[in-house]
Amino acid sequence: MEGFHPSMTSPFSYTFPISGAGSSTTNNITTTTTTPWMNSRIWSKLPQRLLDRVIAFLPPPAFFRARCVCKRFYALLFSNTFLELYLQVSPHRHWFMFFKHHKTRKSYIYKNNNNNNGNSTTTTSGIIGHGGASAASSCEEGYLFDPYDMTWYRISFALVPSGFSPASSSSGLLCWVSDEAGPKTMLLCNPILGSLTQLPPTLRPRLFPSIGLTISPTCIDVTVAGDDMISPYAVKNLTSESFHIDGGGFYSLWGTTSSLPRLCSLESGRMVCAEGKFYCMNCSPFSVLGYDISSNSWFKIQAPMRRFLRSPSLVECKGKLLLVAAVEKSKLNVPKSLRVWSLQGCGTMWVESERMPQQLYVQFAELEGGNGFECVGHGEFIVIMIRGTDKALLFDICRKRWQWIPPCPFVAHDGFELHGLAYEPRLATPVTGLLDQLALPFHTFNA
């Protein structure tokens, strides 16, 4: 297990009122009445192991509220025994993390809005919550969205230095990449724990490359592709380089390189991982580029209806690669629509799996106004964000249900857009302990 820091404070700076049939609230004072289901004579005698198992099933916001109950619950976050149980039984939660991105800035995914004024900050990294106080202006913020309850939370990233932007995520960790042109430095951050781990810098200088990250319980794989700096004033999509480390002791510090297909354009900067391969959109004309991690080779897949696609996005849902795009065939008698295709097992054929209801698409197209949209997928959910607005749709693949997402209450629509990553909140990410084998000193970055 990784080391945990008992000095870390709870990331929640707010409390929740108790509501429901078993409680009543008057004048902001909450009281709880005893019901047969919450009889203290029964619950107080539960074995600790069973009680820990119940707590391990709580979502992170509820877990941090439970830590306020007693010293023992508070200390669970630092208990290796509890965290081992948590990793075994805690259900996967397919949430999303969003960041503000200025519409006029160019970046490979998101641009960090930290102020480069040299001021230090002591704000604790972690979840601030529904109505918590605003983080310091020099601290990057993220907005965590729970699609099950349609709830927003605010998270601060006080430990992440300025000059870094979020680029990818996997298994509870967010990857932040240095903005400065040259060899790229990456930081793996668990915002729930407030932990930060540094990867060694890449070997080749790049500007805004595409970043792919996949993490399993026993290994970490990172691929950086494109935007090779062939001179201080020019870039070209020529190569990719990969980082790998696993529990068996094997590691490759960007020593695995590969040539990109000719005439590729990786303008989106986004990679998704499905079945051991990274995928990204190729522009002009639209196609899909794939990278096989095991064979260190790139390949190209033809996109469906590529001449009629608009705003195509690749997402990974339930282990499958999906392509989401608007279809516009103005010269043919085919209604405009938003469609979802699934890549089949052969790796070259696409099958249309979903289509937005036409009435909803008319409403969606009116709001979108031709400005385009972006998509991010996680588990059974796809979020479709309309550029230039605070509007977003959530599609539940399993229930075949489309619904509008309530606007994020922490963001004013003032020239910024929200761009998202799939994110699974986790109380423990022991895989980062593999990086201790490298014995890398953590470099100090000037905030």
Side-chain angles (χ1 to χ4, degrees), residues 272-285:
V272 297
C273 185
E275 298 182 343
K277 300 179 180 66
F278 286 119
Y279 296 93
C280 55
M281 285 301 304
N282 183 51
C283 304
S284 303

Side-chain angles (χ1 to χ4, degrees), residues 149-341:
D149 295 332
M150 303 292 278
T151 305
W152 290 92
Y153 302 92
R154 179 164 50 186
I155 293 185
S156 63
F157 293 87
L159 296 181
V160 176
S162 62
F164 282 78
S165 297
S168 188
S169 65
S170 181
S171 299
L173 294 173
L174 293 171
C175 178
W176 295 72
V177 183
S178 56
D179 298 328
E180 185 177 356
K184 292 297 178 178
T185 299
M186 302 184 193
L187 306 174
L188 298 182
C189 170
N190 184 331
I192 305 299
L193 296 178
S195 64
L196 204 63
T197 306
Q198 179 188 345
L199 295 181
T202 61
L203 302 180
R204 295 175 180 265
R206 302 177 187 273
L207 187 58
F208 291 120
S210 298
I211 309 294
L213 171 70
T214 179
I215 298 175
S216 73
T218 59
C219 71
I220 300 174
D221 283 284
V222 187
T223 295
V224 178
D227 256 17
D228 302 69
M229 297 186 66
I230 58 178
S231 79
Y233 310 102
V235 296
K236 195 172 183 179
N237 294 316
L238 296 175
T239 66
S240 68
E241 51 189 317
S242 300
F243 172 92
H244 172 87
I245 188 169
D246 60 41
F250 175 77
Y251 60 89
S252 172
L253 308 184
W254 308 112
T256 305
T257 60
S258 181
S259 298
L260 292 173
R262 293 181 66 253
L263 304 178
C264 64
S265 176
L266 310 177
E267 294 182 1
S268 70
R270 186 192 298 270
M271 285 191 190
V272 297
C273 185
E275 298 182 343
K277 300 179 180 66
F278 286 119
Y279 296 93
C280 55
M281 285 301 304
N282 183 51
C283 304
S284 303
F286 289 128
S287 63
V288 177
L289 294 181
Y291 173 70
D292 191 320
I293 299 174
S294 60
S295 63
N296 186 34
S297 60
W298 286 87
F299 56 93
K300 186 178 291 188
I301 306 172
Q302 183 172 325
M305 306 179 69
R306 59 178 182 171
R307 291 187 297 167
F308 309 104
L309 298 182
R310 187 169 62 82
S311 297
S313 295
L314 293 175
V315 301
E316 182 273 329
C317 290
K318 303 179 70 173
K320 293 184 177 181
L321 181 70
L322 305 180
L323 190 152
V324 185
V327 175
E328 296 185 350
K329 301 173 69 173
S330 57
K331 295 183 180 181
L332 300 178
N333 188 23
V334 176
K336 297 180 180 180
S337 60
L338 188 144
R339 307 186 189 188
V340 181
W341 293 268

Side-chain angles (χ1 to χ4, degrees), residues 370-436:
N371 294 322
F373 55 90
E374 294 184 0
C375 304
V376 58
H378 195 196
E380 65 270 37
F381 299 108
I382 299 176
V383 173
I384 305 169
M385 299 157 287
I386 300 178
R387 292 175 182 163
T389 74
D390 59 353
K391 307 297 184 183
L393 272 171
L394 177 70
F395 177 53
D396 188 327
I397 298 175
C398 296
R399 298 182 180 181
K400 309 293 183 182
R401 183 174 64 184
W402 302 81
Q403 60 185 127
W404 291 101
I405 294 176
C408 178
F410 309 112
V411 179
H413 185 55
D414 53 0
F416 289 89
E417 298 175 338
L418 287 184
H419 293 231
L421 295 169
Y423 179 69
E424 179 184 352
R426 291 191 178 183
L427 302 179
T429 50
V431 68
T432 55
L434 295 174
L435 298 174
D436 295 339

Side-chain angles (χ1 to χ4, degrees), residues 9-195:
T9 60
S10 171
F12 281 91
S13 59
Y14 64 99
T15 58
F16 286 77
I18 302 174
S19 60
S23 65
S24 60
T25 305
T26 305
N27 296 329
N28 296 327
I29 300 177
T30 303
T31 59
T32 303
T33 59
T34 303
T35 69
W37 298 104
M38 295 297 293
N39 192 316
S40 60
R41 291 179 297 178
I42 299 175
W43 287 92
S44 63
K45 296 181 180 179
L46 283 179
Q48 288 188 355
R49 180 71 176 176
L50 180 57
L51 189 58
D52 288 353
R53 194 176 185 89
V54 173
I55 295 176
F57 277 87
L58 295 176
F63 171 82
F64 282 102
R65 295 199 300 271
R67 293 184 73 215
C68 301
V69 172
C70 62
K71 291 182 178 180
R72 183 180 177 276
F73 284 8
Y74 181 86
L76 288 177
L77 188 60
F78 317 116
S79 167
N80 285 348
T81 301
F82 171 77
L83 292 174
E84 289 173 358
L85 174 66
Y86 170 85
L87 292 172
Q88 294 172 7
V89 304
S90 179
H92 294 286
R93 293 181 172 86
H94 303 131
W95 291 15
F96 297 89
M97 183 75 74
F98 292 88
F99 295 90
K100 287 198 299 186
H101 169 58
H102 200 284
K103 291 184 289 185
T104 60
R105 279 182 177 166
K106 183 184 184 305
S107 132
Y108 46 88
I109 294 186
Y110 318 104
K111 187 70 175 177
N112 191 323
N113 299 312
N114 288 354
N115 297 324
N116 296 318
N117 54 11
N119 295 334
S120 61
T121 178
T122 57
T123 304
T124 302
S125 180
I127 299 178
I128 298 177
H130 297 281
S134 297
S137 60
S138 60
C139 177
E140 179 74 5
E141 282 187 353
Y143 308 99
L144 188 61
F145 177 66
D146 175 2
Y148 302 96
D149 295 332
M150 303 292 278
T151 305
W152 290 92
Y153 302 92
R154 179 164 50 186
I155 293 185
S156 63
F157 293 87
L159 296 181
V160 176
S162 62
F164 282 78
S165 297
S168 188
S169 65
S170 181
S171 299
L173 294 173
L174 293 171
C175 178
W176 295 72
V177 183
S178 56
D179 298 328
E180 185 177 356
K184 292 297 178 178
T185 299
M186 302 184 193
L187 306 174
L188 298 182
C189 170
N190 184 331
I192 305 299
L193 296 178
S195 64

